[in-house]
Amino acid sequence: MDVPDVLVVPPLADFTTVVAPPAGMALLDLNERLVRRLADPARLRAAADRRPGGPLTALIGRAAAAILARGAYDDAHVRAVGAALGLAADPAVRLAVDGLELTEGSEESSRDLLGAARRCELFAPEIELAREVTRGRRAHVLIDRADQLPAAFALVAALGEGVTLCGRHVAEHRGALRRIPELAGVRWGGWSPDQLIRPPWCGRDGGEATGSGRGGVEPVRWIVGTRPVPGGGAPWAGRLDVARAAALPGEALARCRGLTLMLTRVDFLGVATGLTGGAADLRRLRAALPPGVPVTGELAVGAPGVAAEAAEESAELLAGGLAGVRPAGVRPYRMAVRAPWTAGGVLRRSPRPGHDLARWTEFDAPGGMSQDEVAILLRRWLERLPGVPAGRLAACSVAGPAAPGPPGAAWDPCTEVVAGAGPDGRGPGTFAVNLRSGRSIRLHHLLVAPVSRLAADPHALDHLAEPARRRLTAELAAAGVLR
């Protein structure tokens, strides 16, 4: 009897998606196992007190554990997973909800990535599991994102020669990867399997069901970059450049279940510019999508030819919900090495020395923003838009806007009331901790019960005297506890 090949998904992929392996191939999702291990509430509560960072870090860990124990697949769960990943200490890498950072060196240097793979302790249980599962079998290591490279390099070292590297990132950067001596013994695959949004995340926040496939829910394919939109009537969601999204045929747009648009500029007429300089009509695009489908826009700040005034106007328009597009955050603009800039007028610089895996290129272009202007705008808008999705995850694209609650004090679901040592130096106490803002507020012992009830009852503070209620409400709002 033939033993099936194994498709291995290294950390750190999007934990809200799952890979659909080819027929006859087994799946070993190390990313899912890592997230499940690090975001286990019991482990997180135990790790919170050991993690360097002081009492606030411990309180955030306890709050994240309490939110994860709810078992709800919502924005609070996403942020709690992010907190759990961020609390995972390692000598080589720092984790976030949607990415990875090396403690030393650059992610665009194979030397630095290989060094991180050798020093990393965080992935050790998953690497050992892969060694056991793939013994005597052919292993295909799927690399769809650059954040997976440290774990993928560790897998190659552990599993030996004959490993096949495949996936979207491999297809885009195979030439550079083939020049790495440590990968001389691997095989190269030119395919990448479909990614599906994990069923618990589809239709969350009150969204509609996605169809009537097996188990009552039809799988929703997740589309990023240049990955083709599925045919055959299959539903999909994606994170796409606005110009590419607008160019999709109406039949494909009619099957969309959620869309995050990547933009560099938008004007009051709804004309938007994408990451490569292509333009699109936001209003026309929104009209081509089914009613009620969530559409968000992520603004990349600092693109060629976009002055500070235009970037500020773009952020204001997105914050105001122009053409039914909700804001999905702001980030610095980075020009991809292999992506064109169709608007012209750009001089690309050579990669920095040692950046043999360069993904982004520095550039010179007239009429743009300075680095200081970019930093100032980003800081101001990140503070102003604290409720945007927590990361570039599939779950964030299919999530609708939060349903309006009853009148009164609106409790933020990203908040938990937990006990522990105080970050204010006043000893142990009980605190309301908000994962969205990263802040906490100490509660008087007489207020612990009513504040805890706010999650279910927006009028839980109504019995307080008016001056005390106003003061407490203002303090809770300043800490992010109330929306």
Side-chain angles (χ1 to χ4, degrees):
M1 182 177 179
D2 292 336
V3 179
D5 291 0
V6 183
L7 180 61
V8 184
V9 181
L12 284 156
D14 181 346
F15 67 89
T16 67
T17 65
V18 63
V19 171
M25 187 176 291
L27 177 66
L28 178 60
D29 193 339
L30 299 181
N31 180 66
E32 189 271 340
R33 289 173 179 266
L34 174 80
V35 171
R36 180 156 35 102
R37 176 167 62 86
L38 296 183
D40 174 70
R43 180 194 181 280
L44 188 53
R45 280 190 290 267
D49 293 324
R50 300 194 303 267
R51 179 71 163 87
L56 179 58
T57 298
L59 289 176
I60 288 174
R62 292 194 192 96
I67 289 171
L68 290 167
R70 298 176 193 165
Y73 290 88
D74 54 12
D75 180 58
H77 188 105
V78 170
R79 293 179 189 274
V81 171
L85 296 178
L87 289 172
D90 188 85
V93 297
R94 288 185 288 266
L95 307 186
V97 70
D98 60 351
L100 168 146
E101 179 183 339
L102 303 186
T103 59
E104 297 178 8
S106 168
E107 295 173 63
E108 296 186 291
S109 164
S110 64
R111 180 177 179 179
D112 295 340
L113 286 166
L114 288 163
R118 287 189 291 268
R119 294 184 293 111
C120 183
E121 301 169 358
L122 199 58
F123 307 145
E126 284 68 38
I127 300 298
E128 184 56 34
L129 176 64
R131 197 197 309 266
E132 296 173 5
V133 172
T134 63
R135 187 172 291 117
R137 307 164 75 177
R138 287 193 293 268
H140 304 257
V141 176
L142 178 66
I143 310 174
D144 274 332
R145 300 175 11 158
D147 296 316
Q148 295 175 281
L149 286 176
F153 288 167
L155 282 167
V156 170
L159 304 184
E161 295 187 358
V163 170
T164 298
L165 297 185
C166 59
R168 188 166 56 90
H169 188 81
V170 171
E172 293 174 355
H173 300 275
R174 182 184 301 184
L177 291 168
R178 290 179 77 113
R179 290 192 287 270
I180 300 175
E182 287 81 355
L183 301 183
V186 308
R187 300 171 182 170
W188 302 91
W191 55 276
S192 182
D194 286 339
Q195 287 181 312
L196 310 175
I197 302 180
R198 291 186 186 272
W201 295 101
C202 292
R204 68 195 183 95
D205 292 344
E208 296 181 0
T210 56
S212 56
R214 184 185 307 176
V217 176
E218 187 174 358
V220 177
R221 288 183 173 88
W222 175 240
I223 308 300
V224 294
T226 58
R227 185 185 289 272
V229 172
W236 62 278
R239 181 173 179 271
L240 303 176
D241 183 274
V242 64
R244 189 201 167 192
L248 292 174
E251 183 277 331
L253 292 172
R255 294 183 280 112
C256 180
R257 297 295 181 265
L259 190 58
T260 296
L261 302 171
M262 293 178 286
L263 318 158
T264 58
R265 182 176 183 176
V266 61
D267 64 23
F268 71 96
L269 295 175
V271 177
T273 304
L275 298 183
T276 61
D281 187 325
L282 273 186
R283 289 188 169 91
R284 183 175 298 173
L285 172 58
R286 187 67 187 87
L289 293 164
V293 165
V295 183
T296 58
E298 182 184 55
L299 184 66
V301 179
V306 182
E309 295 80 6
E312 188 74 40
E313 178 190 37
S314 300
E316 288 281 2
L317 291 169
L318 286 175
L322 176 72
V325 179
R326 294 180 293 119
V330 293
R331 66 176 177 88
Y333 173 81
R334 293 189 293 183
M335 181 175 287
V337 168
R338 289 171 176 79
W341 177 259
T342 58
V346 170
L347 177 64
R348 297 173 185 249
R349 302 179 193 171
S350 300
R352 296 181 182 182
H355 284 203
D356 56 331
L357 296 181
R359 291 179 289 141
W360 316 106
T361 180
E362 296 182 359
F363 60 89
D364 295 306
M369 300 173 65
S370 69
Q371 291 185 353
D372 287 345
E373 288 176 319
V374 170
I376 291 171
L377 189 147
L378 289 175
R379 183 170 59 251
R380 185 169 65 253
W381 278 94
L382 288 173
E383 292 174 353
R384 180 171 168 181
L385 299 173
V388 297
R392 297 169 210 157
L393 307 175
C396 298
S397 288
V398 295
W411 181 264
D412 189 333
C414 294
T415 298
E416 274 290 338
V417 175
V418 295
D424 52 10
R426 291 163 49 196
T430 303
F431 299 81
V433 182
N434 182 265
L435 297 188
R436 196 188 306 274
S437 67
R439 298 171 186 163
S440 68
I441 178 172
R442 180 186 287 268
L443 301 176
H444 188 279
H445 71 279
L446 295 177
L447 296 175
V448 171
V451 171
S452 299
R453 290 198 303 271
L454 271 175
D457 177 11
H459 300 286
L461 304 182
D462 287 358
H463 73 284
L464 298 178
E466 181 63 19
R469 187 180 63 80
R470 282 203 308 267
R471 183 171 60 254
L472 176 60
T473 300
E475 291 173 352
L476 293 173
V481 172
L482 300 182
R483 291 186 295 183

